[in-house]
Amino acid sequence: MSAVSIKDVAALAGVSPGTVSNVLNRPEKVAGSTRDRVEAAIRELGFVRHGSASSLRAGHSRTIGLSVIDIGNPFFTDVAAGVEDVASDRGYAVLLGNSSGDRLKEQRNLLVFAEQRVRGVLITPSDDDLARLDRIKERGISVVFVDHPASRPDQCSVAVNDVTGGTLAVAHLLELGAERIAYVTGPGTIRQCADRRQGAGRALAAAGRDPGALQEVAMPSMTARSGQQAAEKLLSQGRLPDAIFCANDLLALGVLRGLMHAGVRVPQDVALIGYDDIDFASASAVTLSSVRQPTHRLGQVATELLLDECDNPETHAHQQIMFQPELVIRESTRLP
Amino acid sequence: MSAVSIKDVAALAGVSPGTVSNVLNRPEKVAGSTRDRVEAAIRELGFVRHGSASSLRAGHSRTIGLSVIDIGNPFFTDVAAGVEDVASDRGYAVLLGNSSGDRLKEQRNLLVFAEQRVRGVLITPSDDDLARLDRIKERGISVVFVDHPASRPDQCSVAVNDVTGGTLAVAHLLELGAERIAYVTGPGTIRQCADRRQGAGRALAAAGRDPGALQEVAMPSMTARSGQQAAEKLLSQGRLPDAIFCANDLLALGVLRGLMHAGVRVPQDVALIGYDDIDFASASAVTLSSVRQPTHRLGQVATELLLDECDNPETHAHQQIMFQPELVIRESTRLP
DNA sequence: TACTCGGACAAAAACGTTTTAACCACGTTA
DNA sequence: TAACGTGGTTAAAACGTTTTTGTCCGAGTA
């Protein structure tokens, strides 16, 4: 049993418990010689601080909560890795919550976070219901949005400009000479999908076309399976488009597979571009052009903002950071 | 601020704090009418228990630690999802630690877990150094191995029989009539790779062949990139094998891409099989045959074992559970 | 010499829960 | 009638830190 407490350390070092606490938390406040003695005692006894006791008294823990929509999506996995990176560096632990897009589960996760008195919460909200998050903030827990721009100036957020991304993708397709373009997307309620669609419209307008002239195929989920179904749908509708823009890479990989199955050549017959630039985009049989997001960075920066807000509440200025996406051209839009 | 404590609830309900604690933890010990009153007060005040105070006094938290080798690998992601599932169901929070295969990081994560006084730890150990884990167990923290059979009877583990898996894969290739088979694998120190190799040898022996007659290509990492390099290596060595067995799907996807690039047809020219059956295996241009592991289940069962060990220490019997893998045949080994 | 000042540490009170022992009223049993 | 449970509740003592206040001692100042 881990019976060794700060008192044991204090006794061994011949100081008071308060002094041990000081070397732990404000080493500069204690004289060098005593500090050495205490540190030696800590090592000798294998003391590790009791986080619960610490946060009970201090009023806050060294833990942050991360709530994502789908831990199975490589996009969120990359974000999580970025979060874990900097949190772990700063000695913070990460509490993981996976909502699976379910509001109830998200709610329950937030409750668990509240019980654990996390220092702050990183969340990719599954919808725009902010009242729920206000209840968290009333508890003095900071909240930072990830991959979702905050609509209010009283909180931080980190996102990537999806409108720009949509423009980049479709402008690229237009440059290839595409006349008829299809947009394979997820549910219309998803902000990312809508923003990317809007960006696509801008690219069309900039080329002197009708911004609405996009054949839209909306699927209920954004998985490879849905992508393949979308391809079948397109194939059954007679004349294929010249180019297809997919709202994420999973959809695009599915579309790619559906097309190849039908003997349609990519990019010779149809050009194809995805979104996210997940690792598998460059590993598919025909490597996938995509719109890259600084995913890992997203997680890192969000965590840094959160920890800054926690550690320097008075000087902290809320920021809504918007990254810019980047076009990645690979075989699926490169004519031989 | 979340100033509402158990005392406030007690005051409003007209009972003592101890009674509130009882309705929270042993509802059956308190009379129905008082219970109702207390629960009403809890709802009215929006009280949420202070986890730190609770675990400080109770001596244990409602938190478990999960340490994985690579959160970017879909295999581990699936495991994590399974863990999160049952932990969340039982009201436990999951602390995530990503070791990236780095022993130091793994060490640091375990320290953080110890500080948080987690109830137990789920870990896919990156090596067989058990002394480190003994230090954790001395602290009264239970440890369950995930995807790694425990070598000692004093702890639980959940794993999948990799020897069987290797046998399944190679027996299948032999049935297809393969004469010359290659094994593309990761570092030899990884137990999974070695076990799968051993299984492959058994299949060869069972077919009356030399168990060593396998062309081995060992790569430093088990990613798609490495797989592609492996394919290039095979291509440069002159005559290709009839069939290739890869130690995981990421490698296989890379090999597939490398072969297709060189105009080699799969499965007509070379049959290909991977391992893990990650989602992307069925989404690639040529769908990938693979050896399926009950990944999600692995995470679920491991968590159930851990929580059982924590909640019923006296009746708990340590178990080393070994699941059986399953062959999944897709296009990459299916002759037209 | 008397005084202040500041650095280094100690003592003790708090943080919000859980848990133990004590208590009380009220039937049941001898 | 007296002793004895018994179910329901309370009071109070923990749990291991952090933080505030206080004390001590020696150096610097007048």
Side-chain angles (χ1 to χ4, degrees):
Chain A
M1 282 299 159
S2 167
V4 36
S5 83
I6 214 174
K7 279 185 191 172
D8 305 311
V9 175
L12 179 59
V15 298
S16 81
T19 301
V20 177
S21 175
N22 276 334
V23 356
L24 251 32
N25 302 305
R26 312 181 200 64
E28 73 282 0
K29 292 276 176 201
V30 29
S33 61
T34 26
R35 198 191 322 156
D36 291 346
R37 240 175 332 132
V38 170
E39 278 166 353
I42 288 179
R43 270 194 304 276
E44 182 169 340
L45 295 178
F47 165 78
V48 350
R49 168 185 20 218
H50 195 306
S52 299
S54 167
S55 47
L56 170 58
R57 174 61 231 228
H60 54 82
S61 69
R62 291 186 78 73
T63 296
I64 63 178
L66 170 65
S67 173
V68 299
I69 292 180
D70 175 15
I71 191 66
N73 185 330
F75 174 82
F76 289 111
T77 301
D78 283 354
V79 171
V83 169
E84 213 269 345
D85 258 15
V86 353
S88 159
D89 255 8
R90 303 251 229 134
Y92 274 79
V94 177
L95 237 28
L96 176 68
N98 186 27
S99 74
S100 311
D102 180 351
R103 287 191 50 155
L104 223 72
K105 267 208 80 181
E106 183 177 296
Q107 190 81 312
R108 220 171 41 176
N109 285 332
L110 290 179
L111 174 66
V112 174
F113 290 171
E115 276 203 1
Q116 301 297 325
R117 295 301 195 270
V118 295
R119 197 72 194 275
V121 170
L122 293 172
I123 185 172
T124 304
S126 53
D127 55 49
D128 263 320
D129 176 15
L130 301 168
R132 212 168 6 134
L133 291 165
D134 279 343
R135 284 215 301 267
I136 295 281
K137 294 172 87 174
E138 278 167 15
R139 295 213 146 77
I141 298 177
S142 308
V143 176
V144 171
F145 281 172
V146 179
D147 199 36
H148 192 103
S151 49
R152 300 177 315 185
D154 66 343
Q155 79 162 73
C156 286
S157 71
V158 178
V160 186
N161 196 322
D162 286 307
V163 177
T164 304
T167 305
L168 282 175
V170 170
H172 173 55
L173 295 179
L174 289 169
E175 267 174 26
L176 294 179
E179 284 294 325
R180 303 173 58 247
I181 302 180
Y183 179 47
V184 174
T185 182
T189 56
I190 295 186
R191 181 198 57 78
Q192 284 86 342
C193 294
D195 281 8
R196 288 165 198 175
R197 169 66 182 84
Q198 192 191 335
R202 288 203 191 159
L204 289 168
R209 313 254 192 121
D210 171 13
L214 211 56
Q215 182 182 1
E216 256 184 80
V217 183
M219 306 304 292
S221 76
M222 298 176 72
T223 61
R225 183 168 303 277
S226 288
Q228 187 166 355
Q229 288 162 358
E232 284 157 10
K233 203 163 169 182
L234 282 169
L235 286 162
S236 71
Q237 289 177 349
R239 192 167 155 219
L240 276 179
D242 305 322
I244 304 176
F245 170 35
C246 295
N248 80 358
D249 283 347
L250 295 181
L251 284 170
L253 288 172
V255 167
L256 175 62
R257 171 161 154 67
L259 293 179
M260 293 189 82
H261 234 242
V264 177
R265 293 168 307 166
V266 174
Q268 293 90 339
D269 302 330
V270 178
L272 179 66
I273 188 167
Y275 208 106
D276 281 352
D277 190 31
I278 63 176
D279 271 354
F280 298 95
S282 58
S284 57
V286 176
T287 55
L288 194 65
S289 293
S290 194
V291 178
R292 175 179 300 162
Q293 311 199 69
T295 328
H296 196 263
R297 190 98 196 92
L298 217 57
Q300 289 180 317
V301 172
T303 311
E304 280 161 4
L305 282 177
L306 182 65
L307 295 184
D308 179 64
E309 182 171 341
C310 296
D311 293 341
N312 316 98
E314 60 294 333
T315 74
H316 176 81
H318 291 299
Q319 294 181 57
Q320 289 82 39
I321 295 184
M322 182 73 90
F323 284 102
Q324 293 306 320
E326 182 190 344
L327 187 65
V328 178
I329 300 175
R330 295 207 184 84
E331 292 167 358
S332 72
T333 61
R334 192 150 53 202
L335 294 177
Chain B
M1 282 298 161
S2 168
V4 36
S5 85
I6 213 174
K7 279 185 191 172
D8 305 312
V9 175
L12 179 58
V15 297
S16 80
T19 301
V20 177
S21 174
N22 276 336
V23 354
L24 251 32
N25 302 305
R26 311 181 201 62
E28 73 282 359
K29 292 275 176 201
V30 30
S33 60
T34 25
R35 197 191 324 156
D36 292 345
R37 236 173 337 131
V38 170
E39 279 166 353
I42 288 180
R43 271 192 304 276
E44 181 169 341
L45 296 177
F47 166 78
V48 350
R49 167 183 26 216
H50 195 306
S52 299
S54 167
S55 48
L56 169 59
R57 176 60 231 227
H60 54 81
S61 70
R62 291 186 77 73
T63 296
I64 63 179
L66 171 66
S67 173
V68 298
I69 292 180
D70 175 15
I71 190 64
N73 185 331
F75 174 82
F76 290 111
T77 301
D78 283 354
V79 171
V83 169
E84 213 270 344
D85 257 14
V86 352
S88 159
D89 255 7
R90 302 251 231 133
Y92 274 78
V94 177
L95 237 29
L96 176 68
N98 186 26
S99 74
S100 312
D102 179 351
R103 287 190 49 157
L104 224 71
K105 267 207 80 182
E106 183 176 297
Q107 191 82 310
R108 220 172 40 175
N109 286 331
L110 290 178
L111 175 65
V112 173
F113 291 170
E115 277 203 0
Q116 301 297 325
R117 295 301 194 271
V118 295
R119 197 71 194 275
V121 169
L122 293 172
I123 185 172
T124 304
S126 52
D127 55 48
D128 264 318
D129 176 15
L130 300 168
R132 211 171 5 136
L133 291 164
D134 279 343
R135 284 214 302 267
I136 295 280
K137 293 172 87 175
E138 278 168 16
R139 295 212 146 78
I141 298 177
S142 308
V143 175
V144 171
F145 282 171
V146 179
D147 198 38
H148 193 103
S151 50
R152 302 176 313 184
D154 65 343
Q155 79 161 79
C156 286
S157 71
V158 177
V160 187
N161 195 322
D162 286 306
V163 177
T164 304
T167 305
L168 282 175
V170 170
H172 172 56
L173 296 178
L174 289 170
E175 267 175 26
L176 293 179
E179 285 293 326
R180 303 172 60 246
I181 301 180
Y183 179 47
V184 175
T185 182
T189 55
I190 296 187
R191 182 199 56 79
Q192 284 86 341
C193 294
D195 280 7
R196 289 165 198 175
R197 169 66 182 84
Q198 191 191 334
R202 288 202 191 161
L204 290 168
R209 315 251 192 124
D210 172 12
L214 212 56
Q215 182 183 1
E216 258 185 78
V217 184
M219 306 303 293
S221 77
M222 298 177 72
T223 62
R225 183 168 303 277
S226 287
Q228 188 166 354
Q229 288 162 357
E232 284 157 10
K233 204 163 168 183
L234 282 168
L235 285 162
S236 70
Q237 288 177 351
R239 193 168 155 218
L240 276 178
D242 306 321
I244 303 176
F245 170 36
C246 296
N248 79 0
D249 283 346
L250 295 181
L251 284 170
L253 288 173
V255 166
L256 175 62
R257 171 161 154 66
L259 292 179
M260 293 189 83
H261 233 244
V264 176
R265 293 169 308 165
V266 174
Q268 292 89 340
D269 301 329
V270 178
L272 179 65
I273 188 167
Y275 208 107
D276 283 350
D277 190 31
I278 63 177
D279 272 355
F280 297 96
S282 59
S284 56
V286 174
T287 56
L288 195 63
S289 294
S290 193
V291 177
R292 175 178 301 162
Q293 311 199 70
T295 329
H296 195 263
R297 189 100 196 90
L298 217 58
Q300 291 181 316
V301 172
T303 312
E304 279 161 6
L305 282 176
L306 182 65
L307 295 184
D308 179 65
E309 182 171 342
C310 295
D311 293 340
N312 316 97
E314 60 293 332
T315 74
H316 176 81
H318 291 299
Q319 294 181 58
Q320 289 83 39
I321 295 184
M322 182 74 90
F323 284 102
Q324 294 306 319
E326 182 188 343
L327 187 65
V328 178
I329 301 176
R330 295 206 184 84
E331 292 167 358
S332 70
T333 61
R334 194 152 49 202
L335 294 176

